[in-house]
Amino acid sequence: MTHPFPFSAIVGQDEMKLAMVLTAIDPSIGGVLVFGDRGTGKSTAVRALAALLPPIKVVTDCPYNSASFAQCPDPDVIKTRKLVNRPTPVIDLPLGVTEDRVVGALDIEKALTEGKKQFEPGLLARAHRGYLYIDEVNLLEDHIVDLLLDVAVSGENVVEREGLSIRHPARFVLVGSGNPEEGELRPQLLDRFGLSVEVASPTDIEDRIEVIRRRDAYENDADAFLEHWSSEDAALRKAILSGRRRLAKIRTDDAILAECAKLCVALGSDGLRGELTLLRAARALAAFRGNRIVKTSHLREIAASALRHRLRRDPLDEAGSTTRVLRAVDQVLA
Amino acid sequence: MTAPSQDWQNATLALTLLAVDPSGLAGIMLRARSGPARDRFIAALGPALSPRALKRIHPGTTDDQLFGGLDLTATLDRGEAVLTEGLFGDAPSAFLLTMAERCPPGLTARIARAMDTANGHALIALDEGIDDEAPPEALADRLAFHIDLNAVTHRDCPEIILDSDRIEIARNRLQKVSIPAEFIANVTKVGMQLGIGSLRAPNFVLRAARTLAAIQKQDIVTQANVTTAAALVFGPRATMLPEDPQQDQTESPSNEPEQDTEQGKTETVEQIPEEILLQAVAASLPKDFLDRIKDTQSARTAQGSGGSGAARKGNRRGRPKPSQRGQLGSAARIDLIATLRAAAPWQSIRKQAAYAPQRNIHIRASDIRLKKFEEKSDRLLIFAVDASGSAALARLAEAKGAVELLLAEAYARRDHVALIAFRGTKADLLLPPTRSLVQTKRRLSSLPGGGGTPLAAGLEAALLLAESTRTKGLTPTIAVLTDGRANIALDGTASRISASEDARTVARQIRARQTPALVIDTGNRPQGSLQDLARELSAPYLPLPRADAHKVSQAIEAVLE
């Protein structure tokens, strides 16, 4: 396939699309967790997002996607200091990947054949300033998920192994997807993801028909289809870019902070990540919508995504976590 | 005679369509044990899919082989990195995946990703599963056709001969075929009425219809094309029967075919196309459709959960063990020190060898040592719950609550839970081993109760499950919840004496296999017979009258610790 399916041509799944756009505006929100059935456009959306995002400037030879020569963690490997435009990296993390491949390790080839001790950067280095996508994140080995979330939160990859001592920046947005029926994530890990969305096959018949119609058009004549949607994609890209610029100037009143806190207390979410993420996501949403201050309506819109995975599990409560969040939102933000 | 040859016709048609549009239709899921029909079908694959190379893969194929990696022997020999190209390389190919039902989740995800992103690979997945075993849903969903050849005998499968010129012409025509917009809507609606959630399926119907049109040298897809394609693609995927006024035809499967043809003749004129389509698919459904729905659903969930916990041999974490000689693959970590130590004694000899290049250290592939770790396997708690008699509903509800509570706690301890209910004359596996709370809630939402107490059958089912999961790397524990009046023997006869005798026999077998167990007596007064049973199992006996979910889960946890 030459070009992925356009992001704006994905029918429905508004919550997932919004969550991804918000992390593009403010990567510090943390990752996105997408849970849902098969064939609902999870992977399509992630791959489309890569094509949608504006390119980044990187040093040509730098395996760490550094923005300037001064920032390169390993200046020895750089041959030209020229900057080039590259598409925002979206790195696929395959299941069954080893720790070495993720964090990087001693370059065994070089060690064995040349007797040199050199660090071979892993997937984390390649994902710097971009996205790291894990399909079936619930099937990934737990220690790899721990490690990923740790790096994602700290923004730095520290390698202390096999006589190497390396640290390099690794700031990326983690996108995990999976099907909850095949196994669940531990609550500690769930909490580390910024936003979580649930996707389902569209039940509305017109939506379904539209999905098939667009898919058919795309497969039949990809170029014409991309051409048709390029203006919408461009508009969305512009909105993301202006959202990024506006983000720093967004004003947050104390009343909003109080509402965040009240909501999290009402839901009994552990720790303070809930409040922080809720606030960041609401700011990003305000920036995306072109507002100058965060309003209650922003909180209301993003509350389910930011909080539904942080609730204490009550296995005997039949209501899903989404309903519980919405119930609390109605009570607290009435 | 008609049904099996229909399967073969479907297989032939599916192969023809795949030959014309391999990248769009993605492949075939072929459920067949080895036999003449399968052999003939596989023999036809190569010629049909040419010029694509047909490559065989199996669930044990390593990542290096599939996606490329370092050729260690050559690298060490030449002193420079020699990379092998994986099977999923650049050129579009056709893959024959054998034993797809044993495909581990990791490999499934990687193959699925390769098929999603790469340039039009086609996959023929051979499903050799028996009963409940089924290939991973993630793969099945991505393949257009699901064909079952198990009922085809050697007489019913004439050799498949495809006209390569015609296929070539059809391939060239494919781009030009257009599809009327109303078909798209109809196909989507029909897919939904058949309970097919995935949107890949309607998409495959449209592609198959277009391919059919190309083969028949039309420029526009006709109703007949769509009907054939829908029957072929939707038929095996349907999970429910359409809600349709002619529902009764499926209630009495014996006269289904003739009724259908009648309707086909008489109602074609006034019916809207969507209904014709629906009927065509419904007619293509096998006669035992309703039974099969149940089977496939249980197989599906069993697969999903069984896979995630199984096969943890743990060569990456756990307690370190001495390093071993081995192949450097993607899943292994090299123990550098041990490798150098293994190579050290040979250095002087290797340097003197005439062909040796000038190098400081000489390392051969046979020196490579890998780090090994040992890991404790996950635990599986099997609930065998008495669903008989008057107290059944309450007991089942509490057992269900206990299962959910244990699962909620299970994350930290890596426990899996399964639930067997026994009532009437037999035992049913209501919840296959799982760690998923979502799945548990769904599957245990309604529980049947009442009837006799086939305690022996319940124990036997628990034993079988324990044995089959042990091979997958789980450590099973059995918890029996009953009030103890066993009155149905293994063979289904109602006799208290032989029933308790059978129960004791099975209990001894469980003990002989060293499966830990626990007997919870939920009766109002402690039962002597259950204490005996616990002794046979060499298991703790816990009288818990009016047990609630919390008490049960606490008791079980106390025993497990």
Side-chain angles (χ1 to χ4, degrees):
Chain A
M1 255 177 242
T2 49
H3 199 282
F5 195 79
F7 191 77
S8 39
I10 296 171
V11 180
Q13 315 296 16
D14 294 323
E15 200 191 358
M16 172 174 71
K17 286 197 284 187
L18 181 65
M20 290 187 181
V21 165
L22 293 186
T23 56
I25 291 177
D26 182 5
S28 70
I29 290 174
V32 183
L33 184 67
V34 188
F35 259 164
D37 304 333
R38 288 180 195 86
T40 43
K42 290 172 294 197
S43 2
T44 312
V46 178
R47 304 212 160 91
L49 186 67
L52 175 73
L53 293 176
I56 55 170
K57 272 198 186 344
V58 297
V59 178
T60 314
D61 293 331
C62 187
Y64 306 91
N65 295 337
S66 303
S68 69
F69 179 72
Q71 290 174 10
C72 287
D74 189 5
D76 296 347
V77 297
I78 312 287
K79 291 187 194 101
T80 56
R81 300 187 179 194
K82 248 202 237 151
L83 294 180
V84 284
N85 273 331
R86 294 246 172 85
T88 304
V90 173
I91 304 298
D92 264 304
L93 188 97
L95 283 181
V97 72
T98 56
E99 211 178 311
D100 309 28
R101 291 271 294 129
V102 178
V103 298
L106 182 72
D107 189 335
I108 292 180
E109 256 175 82
K110 285 234 166 69
L112 288 183
T113 57
E114 294 168 29
K116 271 191 202 161
K117 193 165 93 176
Q118 194 175 359
F119 180 67
E120 188 187 17
L123 294 172
L124 291 179
R126 284 171 53 204
H128 181 43
R129 303 170 67 201
Y131 283 75
L132 190 69
Y133 175 52
I134 315 165
D135 199 7
E136 315 273 0
V137 65
N138 43 348
L139 301 183
L140 196 67
E141 299 263 351
D142 284 353
H143 68 294
I144 303 263
V145 183
D146 284 336
L147 187 149
L148 284 174
L149 288 166
D150 208 45
V151 176
V153 171
S154 67
E156 189 176 46
N157 180 27
V158 182
V159 186
E160 291 286 353
R161 57 193 298 175
E162 283 144 7
L164 292 164
S165 178
I166 302 264
R167 54 179 59 211
H168 66 83
R171 281 185 299 278
F172 53 86
V173 177
L174 197 63
V175 181
S177 72
N179 185 342
E181 292 210 357
E182 290 176 348
E184 288 166 47
L185 278 175
R186 288 187 289 138
Q188 301 92 310
L189 301 183
L190 281 175
D191 186 47
R192 302 277 188 93
F193 280 95
L195 303 174
S196 128
V197 292
E198 287 165 4
V199 291
S201 300
T203 44
D204 182 51
I205 193 78
E206 287 306 320
D207 277 356
R208 291 183 73 102
I209 293 171
E210 190 56 32
V211 172
I212 297 294
R213 200 175 279 146
R214 289 189 192 170
R215 189 80 214 177
D216 189 63
Y218 170 68
E219 281 176 9
N220 218 18
D221 189 353
D223 292 339
F225 189 74
L226 292 171
E227 178 69 33
H228 178 78
W229 287 95
S230 64
S231 59
E232 298 222 10
D233 263 7
L236 189 56
R237 186 180 304 129
K238 225 171 123 190
I240 291 176
L241 285 174
S242 62
R244 279 184 189 166
R245 277 196 301 275
R246 216 176 287 128
L247 186 66
K249 293 181 209 133
I250 299 285
R251 201 155 50 87
T252 320
D253 294 336
D254 285 351
I256 294 289
L257 295 181
E259 278 179 341
C260 279
K262 265 192 229 158
L263 196 56
C264 291
V265 170
L267 283 166
S269 67
D270 298 328
L272 290 167
R273 282 214 185 90
E275 278 96 328
L276 284 172
T277 313
L278 182 60
L279 189 65
R280 282 194 188 130
R283 290 167 62 106
L285 183 64
F288 180 56
R289 292 277 148 81
N291 301 109
R292 281 165 196 283
I293 51 169
V294 180
K295 296 183 203 153
T296 311
S297 62
H298 295 136
L299 286 186
R300 194 184 285 275
E301 190 174 344
I302 208 70
S305 305
L307 296 177
R308 70 157 65 88
H309 54 300
R310 299 177 203 278
L311 305 188
R312 270 272 163 95
R313 282 169 171 277
D314 182 359
L316 303 182
D317 184 358
E318 289 297 326
S321 36
T322 310
T323 352
R324 284 166 65 194
V325 174
L326 293 180
R327 218 155 48 194
V329 167
D330 281 341
Q331 281 166 8
V332 176
L333 305 182
Chain B
M1 264 319 274
T2 50
S5 57
Q6 181 61 41
D7 280 344
W8 186 250
Q9 279 172 25
N10 283 348
T12 314
L13 180 60
L15 184 59
T16 316
L17 293 176
L18 187 68
V20 175
D21 187 10
S23 49
L25 293 168
I28 300 175
M29 177 67 72
L30 191 70
R31 189 172 175 88
R33 244 77 57 64
S34 59
R38 196 181 84 171
D39 291 347
R40 261 180 216 172
F41 189 83
I42 292 174
L45 281 178
L49 295 171
S50 70
R52 282 159 193 257
L54 185 67
K55 300 171 182 170
R56 268 174 184 268
I57 52 178
H58 59 86
T61 314
T62 61
D63 278 9
D64 275 3
Q65 287 167 291
L66 286 179
F67 306 103
L70 193 69
D71 183 344
L72 194 70
T73 319
T75 301
L76 290 174
D77 211 38
R78 284 194 230 158
E80 60 185 25
V82 180
L83 298 174
T84 53
E85 198 192 338
L87 291 171
F88 279 91
D90 287 330
S93 328
F95 292 91
L96 185 65
L97 173 67
T98 53
M99 291 186 283
E101 76 282 359
R102 298 186 62 95
C103 195
L107 182 65
T108 307
R110 270 164 277 167
I111 293 180
R113 193 170 62 108
M115 291 184 61
D116 281 356
T117 50
N119 23 22
H121 292 306
L123 178 74
I124 317 294
L126 291 184
D127 168 13
E128 295 158 53
I130 303 168
D131 301 335
D132 271 5
E133 289 176 314
E137 188 71 352
L139 274 190
D141 193 42
R142 285 181 166 79
L143 305 179
F145 307 112
H146 299 181
I147 304 285
D148 190 337
L149 290 185
N150 275 335
V152 179
T153 61
H154 70 281
R155 261 172 285 132
D156 299 325
C157 52
E159 205 175 330
I160 302 178
I161 298 163
L162 300 180
D163 184 346
S164 57
D165 292 338
R166 234 180 118 192
I167 287 173
E168 194 55 46
I169 294 169
R171 277 180 190 161
N172 292 332
R173 290 185 71 96
L174 193 58
Q175 275 302 319
K176 289 180 221 138
V177 179
S178 66
I179 196 156
E182 74 262 24
F183 287 156
I184 298 182
N186 290 343
V187 165
T188 317
K189 280 182 199 158
V190 169
M192 216 174 154
Q193 283 169 17
L194 290 167
I196 302 170
S198 170
L199 283 166
R200 287 198 179 95
N203 198 34
F204 281 135
V205 172
L206 295 176
R207 294 212 65 119
R210 182 175 284 154
T211 313
L212 270 172
I215 292 173
Q216 289 161 9
K217 300 186 181 163
Q218 303 148 202
D219 285 335
I220 297 174
V221 172
T222 63
Q223 177 71 44
N225 296 147
V226 177
T227 312
T228 316
L232 196 59
V233 175
F234 278 157
R237 287 172 206 250
T239 61
M240 62 185 205
L241 287 170
E243 288 159 21
D244 188 294
Q246 289 105 23
Q247 195 49 241
D248 55 337
Q249 65 176 0
T250 46
E251 301 288 325
S252 52
S254 54
N255 53 10
E256 178 191 345
E258 61 205 39
Q259 233 181 13
D260 239 342
T261 42
E262 264 173 36
Q263 280 165 356
K265 273 177 210 149
T266 52
E267 295 177 33
T268 320
V269 193
E270 67 256 42
Q271 267 183 341
I272 55 169
E274 185 190 326
E275 282 179 15
I276 304 177
L277 199 57
L278 197 55
Q279 278 191 359
V281 179
S284 77
L285 296 177
K287 289 177 186 167
D288 56 347
F289 175 68
L290 285 174
D291 295 335
R292 275 201 0 199
I293 295 177
K294 216 173 130 238
D295 289 353
T296 46
Q297 275 171 351
S298 72
R300 213 169 275 163
T301 42
Q303 175 68 24
S305 54
S308 59
R312 289 192 190 275
K313 288 276 158 51
N315 55 359
R316 271 157 290 170
R317 48 191 189 138
R319 224 152 43 81
K321 282 168 66 179
S323 347
Q324 285 175 12
R325 173 184 294 204
Q327 277 271 304
L328 193 58
S330 57
R333 274 178 61 185
I334 190 168
D335 187 335
L336 208 54
I337 306 295
T339 304
L340 291 175
R341 201 174 283 147
W346 307 100
Q347 291 308 309
S348 52
I349 302 179
R350 286 180 187 168
K351 268 178 200 156
Q352 285 160 19
Y355 57 87
Q358 283 302 306
R359 225 184 285 161
N360 291 333
I361 311 174
H362 292 259
I363 292 180
R364 305 279 152 83
S366 60
D367 299 331
I368 300 294
R369 295 289 182 275
L370 302 177
K371 286 184 180 166
K372 295 276 175 186
F373 297 92
E374 186 178 64
E375 191 193 5
K376 286 267 169 66
S377 66
D378 294 3
R379 282 191 305 202
L380 167 68
L381 189 60
I382 302 170
F383 280 89
V385 182
D386 185 355
S388 67
S390 52
L393 286 179
R395 202 182 302 121
L396 273 172
E398 297 308 340
K400 180 190 162 198
V403 166
E404 290 177 359
L405 281 171
L406 281 169
L407 269 182
E409 308 256 308
Y411 298 99
R413 293 203 313 258
R414 303 199 137 276
D415 286 352
H416 298 238
V417 177
L419 193 142
I420 292 167
F422 50 96
R423 60 184 279 265
T425 55
K426 61 183 178 43
D428 295 310
L429 178 60
L430 292 183
L431 179 73
T434 181
R435 270 169 78 193
S436 161
L437 203 53
V438 178
Q439 203 194 99
T440 307
K441 275 191 189 296
R442 187 174 300 175
R443 293 187 65 97
L444 299 186
S445 54
S446 68
L447 292 170
T453 309
L455 181 58
L459 287 175
E460 189 186 41
L463 173 65
L464 290 176
L465 183 64
E467 287 308 302
S468 72
T469 49
R470 208 194 288 275
T471 58
K472 288 180 190 163
L474 294 172
T475 311
T477 302
I478 298 171
V480 186
L481 266 80
T482 177
D483 56 5
R485 285 172 280 262
N487 54 17
I488 308 283
L490 265 185
D491 56 8
T493 52
S495 147
R496 273 178 192 276
I497 299 160
S498 59
S500 54
E501 189 49 46
D502 280 356
R504 270 205 288 275
T505 315
V506 181
R508 275 194 290 273
Q509 284 180 16
I510 292 177
R511 189 181 59 183
R513 289 185 169 79
Q514 296 186 333
T515 308
L518 166 70
V519 178
I520 297 178
D521 186 349
T522 54
N524 288 334
R525 267 167 283 137
Q527 290 273 325
S529 64
L530 279 183
Q531 293 189 16
D532 290 345
L533 182 74
R535 216 169 294 131
E536 293 286 358
L537 286 163
S538 69
Y541 167 78
L542 294 173
L544 282 178
R546 292 180 296 281
D548 64 11
H550 288 276
K551 268 194 204 159
V552 172
S553 79
Q554 277 164 12
I556 288 171
E557 271 181 53
V559 170
L560 283 176
E561 289 313 321

